[in-house]
Short mmCIF file of all heavy atoms in Angstrom, two decimals:
data_model
loop_
_atom_site.label_atom_id
_atom_site.label_comp_id
_atom_site.label_asym_id
_atom_site.label_seq_id
_atom_site.Cartn_x
_atom_site.Cartn_y
_atom_site.Cartn_z
N TYR A 1 90.35 89.99 110.33
CA TYR A 1 89.84 90.47 109.04
C TYR A 1 91.02 90.58 108.09
O TYR A 1 92.07 91.14 108.46
CB TYR A 1 89.18 91.85 109.22
CG TYR A 1 88.92 92.55 107.91
CD1 TYR A 1 87.77 92.28 107.19
CD2 TYR A 1 89.83 93.46 107.39
CE1 TYR A 1 87.53 92.92 105.97
CE2 TYR A 1 89.59 94.10 106.18
CZ TYR A 1 88.44 93.82 105.49
OH TYR A 1 88.21 94.44 104.28
N VAL A 2 90.85 90.07 106.89
CA VAL A 2 91.85 90.22 105.84
C VAL A 2 91.12 90.75 104.61
O VAL A 2 90.15 90.14 104.15
CB VAL A 2 92.56 88.88 105.52
CG1 VAL A 2 93.57 89.07 104.40
CG2 VAL A 2 93.23 88.32 106.77
N SER A 3 91.56 91.88 104.10
CA SER A 3 90.88 92.53 102.98
C SER A 3 91.16 91.82 101.66
O SER A 3 92.09 91.02 101.54
CB SER A 3 91.33 93.99 102.85
OG SER A 3 92.62 94.08 102.27
N GLU A 4 90.36 92.15 100.71
CA GLU A 4 90.68 91.81 99.32
C GLU A 4 91.89 92.65 98.93
O GLU A 4 92.18 93.67 99.56
CB GLU A 4 89.49 92.15 98.41
CG GLU A 4 88.26 91.30 98.65
CD GLU A 4 88.47 89.84 98.28
OE1 GLU A 4 89.19 89.56 97.30
OE2 GLU A 4 87.92 88.98 99.00
N PRO A 5 92.62 92.26 97.89
CA PRO A 5 93.76 93.09 97.46
C PRO A 5 93.33 94.52 97.11
O PRO A 5 92.28 94.72 96.49
CB PRO A 5 94.28 92.36 96.23
CG PRO A 5 93.82 90.95 96.41
CD PRO A 5 92.49 91.04 97.11
N ILE A 6 94.11 95.46 97.56
CA ILE A 6 93.90 96.88 97.23
C ILE A 6 94.92 97.22 96.15
O ILE A 6 96.12 97.24 96.40
CB ILE A 6 94.09 97.77 98.47
CG1 ILE A 6 93.12 97.35 99.58
CG2 ILE A 6 93.91 99.25 98.09
CD1 ILE A 6 93.45 97.96 100.94
N HIS A 7 94.42 97.43 94.95
CA HIS A 7 95.31 97.69 93.82
C HIS A 7 95.66 99.17 93.79
O HIS A 7 94.78 100.03 93.67
CB HIS A 7 94.65 97.25 92.51
CG HIS A 7 94.44 95.77 92.47
ND1 HIS A 7 95.43 94.89 92.12
CD2 HIS A 7 93.36 95.02 92.81
CE1 HIS A 7 94.98 93.66 92.20
NE2 HIS A 7 93.73 93.70 92.63
N LEU A 8 96.93 99.45 93.91
CA LEU A 8 97.41 100.82 93.90
C LEU A 8 97.39 101.37 92.48
O LEU A 8 97.44 100.61 91.51
CB LEU A 8 98.81 100.88 94.49
CG LEU A 8 98.92 100.33 95.92
CD1 LEU A 8 100.34 100.46 96.44
CD2 LEU A 8 97.94 101.00 96.86
N GLN A 9 97.31 102.68 92.39
CA GLN A 9 97.16 103.35 91.10
C GLN A 9 98.41 104.18 90.79
O GLN A 9 98.59 105.26 91.35
CB GLN A 9 95.91 104.22 91.12
CG GLN A 9 94.67 103.41 91.44
CD GLN A 9 93.50 104.26 91.91
OE1 GLN A 9 93.58 105.48 91.99
NE2 GLN A 9 92.40 103.60 92.19
N PRO A 10 99.26 103.66 89.90
CA PRO A 10 100.48 104.41 89.54
C PRO A 10 100.15 105.75 88.88
O PRO A 10 99.20 105.86 88.11
CB PRO A 10 101.19 103.48 88.55
CG PRO A 10 100.58 102.14 88.75
CD PRO A 10 99.18 102.38 89.22
N GLU A 11 100.93 106.76 89.21
CA GLU A 11 100.85 108.08 88.59
C GLU A 11 102.28 108.54 88.31
O GLU A 11 102.82 109.38 89.01
CB GLU A 11 100.15 109.08 89.53
CG GLU A 11 98.70 108.75 89.82
CD GLU A 11 98.06 109.77 90.76
OE1 GLU A 11 98.41 110.97 90.69
OE2 GLU A 11 97.23 109.35 91.57
N PRO A 12 102.91 107.95 87.29
CA PRO A 12 104.34 108.21 87.05
C PRO A 12 104.67 109.69 86.81
O PRO A 12 105.80 110.10 87.07
CB PRO A 12 104.66 107.39 85.80
CG PRO A 12 103.47 106.55 85.53
CD PRO A 12 102.33 107.04 86.34
N ALA A 13 103.73 110.48 86.37
CA ALA A 13 104.02 111.88 86.08
C ALA A 13 104.20 112.72 87.35
O ALA A 13 104.83 113.77 87.31
CB ALA A 13 102.91 112.48 85.22
N ASP A 14 103.65 112.26 88.47
CA ASP A 14 103.73 113.04 89.71
C ASP A 14 103.92 112.09 90.88
O ASP A 14 102.97 111.59 91.47
CB ASP A 14 102.46 113.88 89.88
CG ASP A 14 102.55 114.84 91.05
OD1 ASP A 14 103.45 114.69 91.91
OD2 ASP A 14 101.70 115.76 91.11
N ARG A 15 105.17 111.86 91.23
CA ARG A 15 105.53 110.87 92.27
C ARG A 15 104.90 111.20 93.62
O ARG A 15 104.41 110.33 94.32
CB ARG A 15 107.06 110.81 92.37
CG ARG A 15 107.55 109.81 93.34
CD ARG A 15 107.40 108.45 92.76
NE ARG A 15 108.10 107.53 93.63
CZ ARG A 15 107.93 106.25 93.61
NH1 ARG A 15 107.11 105.74 92.73
NH2 ARG A 15 108.58 105.47 94.41
N GLU A 16 104.94 112.47 94.03
CA GLU A 16 104.37 112.85 95.33
C GLU A 16 102.86 112.62 95.35
O GLU A 16 102.33 112.12 96.34
CB GLU A 16 104.70 114.32 95.65
CG GLU A 16 106.17 114.57 95.92
CD GLU A 16 106.70 113.78 97.10
OE1 GLU A 16 106.07 113.80 98.17
OE2 GLU A 16 107.76 113.13 96.96
N ALA A 17 102.17 112.99 94.29
CA ALA A 17 100.73 112.76 94.21
C ALA A 17 100.42 111.26 94.22
O ALA A 17 99.44 110.82 94.83
CB ALA A 17 100.15 113.41 92.96
N GLU A 18 101.27 110.47 93.55
CA GLU A 18 101.09 109.02 93.51
C GLU A 18 101.17 108.43 94.92
O GLU A 18 100.30 107.63 95.31
CB GLU A 18 102.18 108.41 92.63
CG GLU A 18 102.20 106.90 92.61
CD GLU A 18 103.38 106.36 91.81
OE1 GLU A 18 104.53 106.77 92.09
OE2 GLU A 18 103.13 105.52 90.93
N ILE A 19 102.17 108.83 95.67
CA ILE A 19 102.35 108.30 97.03
C ILE A 19 101.19 108.73 97.92
O ILE A 19 100.58 107.91 98.62
CB ILE A 19 103.70 108.77 97.62
CG1 ILE A 19 104.87 108.21 96.82
CG2 ILE A 19 103.80 108.42 99.09
CD1 ILE A 19 105.07 106.72 96.88
N THR A 20 100.86 110.01 97.91
CA THR A 20 99.79 110.53 98.75
C THR A 20 98.45 109.89 98.41
O THR A 20 97.73 109.41 99.29
CB THR A 20 99.69 112.06 98.62
OG1 THR A 20 100.94 112.63 99.05
CG2 THR A 20 98.55 112.62 99.45
N HIS A 21 98.12 109.87 97.14
CA HIS A 21 96.83 109.29 96.71
C HIS A 21 96.70 107.83 97.15
O HIS A 21 95.67 107.43 97.70
CB HIS A 21 96.68 109.41 95.19
CG HIS A 21 95.52 108.64 94.66
ND1 HIS A 21 94.22 109.08 94.79
CD2 HIS A 21 95.47 107.44 94.04
CE1 HIS A 21 93.40 108.17 94.26
NE2 HIS A 21 94.13 107.18 93.79
N ASN A 22 97.73 107.05 96.93
CA ASN A 22 97.65 105.63 97.26
C ASN A 22 97.68 105.37 98.76
O ASN A 22 97.00 104.46 99.26
CB ASN A 22 98.74 104.86 96.53
CG ASN A 22 98.40 104.67 95.07
OD1 ASN A 22 97.43 104.00 94.73
ND2 ASN A 22 99.16 105.30 94.19
N ALA A 23 98.44 106.16 99.51
CA ALA A 23 98.43 106.01 100.97
C ALA A 23 97.04 106.34 101.52
O ALA A 23 96.54 105.66 102.41
CB ALA A 23 99.50 106.90 101.59
N GLU A 24 96.42 107.37 100.97
CA GLU A 24 95.06 107.72 101.40
C GLU A 24 94.05 106.66 100.98
O GLU A 24 93.07 106.41 101.68
CB GLU A 24 94.68 109.10 100.90
CG GLU A 24 95.45 110.20 101.62
CD GLU A 24 95.21 111.60 101.08
OE1 GLU A 24 94.63 111.75 99.97
OE2 GLU A 24 95.59 112.56 101.79
N LEU A 25 94.29 106.01 99.85
CA LEU A 25 93.43 104.91 99.41
C LEU A 25 93.47 103.77 100.44
O LEU A 25 92.44 103.23 100.84
CB LEU A 25 93.89 104.41 98.04
CG LEU A 25 93.18 103.20 97.46
CD1 LEU A 25 91.74 103.52 97.12
CD2 LEU A 25 93.93 102.71 96.21
N VAL A 26 94.66 103.42 100.89
CA VAL A 26 94.80 102.37 101.89
C VAL A 26 94.15 102.80 103.21
O VAL A 26 93.41 102.02 103.83
CB VAL A 26 96.28 102.00 102.10
CG1 VAL A 26 96.46 101.04 103.27
CG2 VAL A 26 96.87 101.39 100.82
N LEU A 27 94.38 104.03 103.63
CA LEU A 27 93.77 104.52 104.87
C LEU A 27 92.25 104.53 104.79
O LEU A 27 91.56 104.24 105.77
CB LEU A 27 94.28 105.93 105.20
CG LEU A 27 95.72 106.02 105.66
CD1 LEU A 27 96.17 107.48 105.73
CD2 LEU A 27 95.91 105.33 107.00
N ALA A 28 91.70 104.83 103.61
CA ALA A 28 90.25 104.82 103.44
C ALA A 28 89.68 103.42 103.67
O ALA A 28 88.55 103.28 104.14
CB ALA A 28 89.87 105.33 102.04
N HIS A 29 90.45 102.39 103.35
CA HIS A 29 90.02 101.02 103.63
C HIS A 29 90.15 100.68 105.12
O HIS A 29 89.42 99.84 105.64
CB HIS A 29 90.84 100.02 102.80
CG HIS A 29 90.39 99.91 101.39
ND1 HIS A 29 90.77 100.81 100.41
CD2 HIS A 29 89.60 99.01 100.78
CE1 HIS A 29 90.23 100.47 99.27
NE2 HIS A 29 89.51 99.37 99.46
N ALA A 30 91.08 101.34 105.81
CA ALA A 30 91.28 101.08 107.23
C ALA A 30 90.25 101.80 108.11
O ALA A 30 89.89 101.30 109.18
CB ALA A 30 92.69 101.50 107.65
N GLU A 31 89.78 102.94 107.66
CA GLU A 31 88.85 103.73 108.48
C GLU A 31 87.62 102.95 108.93
O GLU A 31 87.27 102.99 110.11
CB GLU A 31 88.44 105.00 107.74
CG GLU A 31 89.52 106.05 107.70
CD GLU A 31 89.13 107.30 106.93
OE1 GLU A 31 87.92 107.46 106.59
OE2 GLU A 31 90.02 108.13 106.67
#
């Protein structure tokens, strides 16, 4: 299985939230 591209969502104002949100976005596709 190869997914469609998962476009990450930049959040320049909050780097930690940006990393967490996008990592969880990828994991949500893996679940």
Side-chain angles (χ1 to χ4, degrees):
Y1 167 84
V2 179
S3 76
E4 293 293 324
I6 302 167
H7 296 278
L8 303 181
Q9 302 162 0
E11 296 180 35
D14 187 345
R15 182 74 170 164
E16 291 300 311
E18 174 185 52
I19 296 293
T20 299
H21 170 76
N22 283 295
E24 289 175 346
L25 176 68
V26 173
L27 289 170
H29 281 81
E31 286 179 11

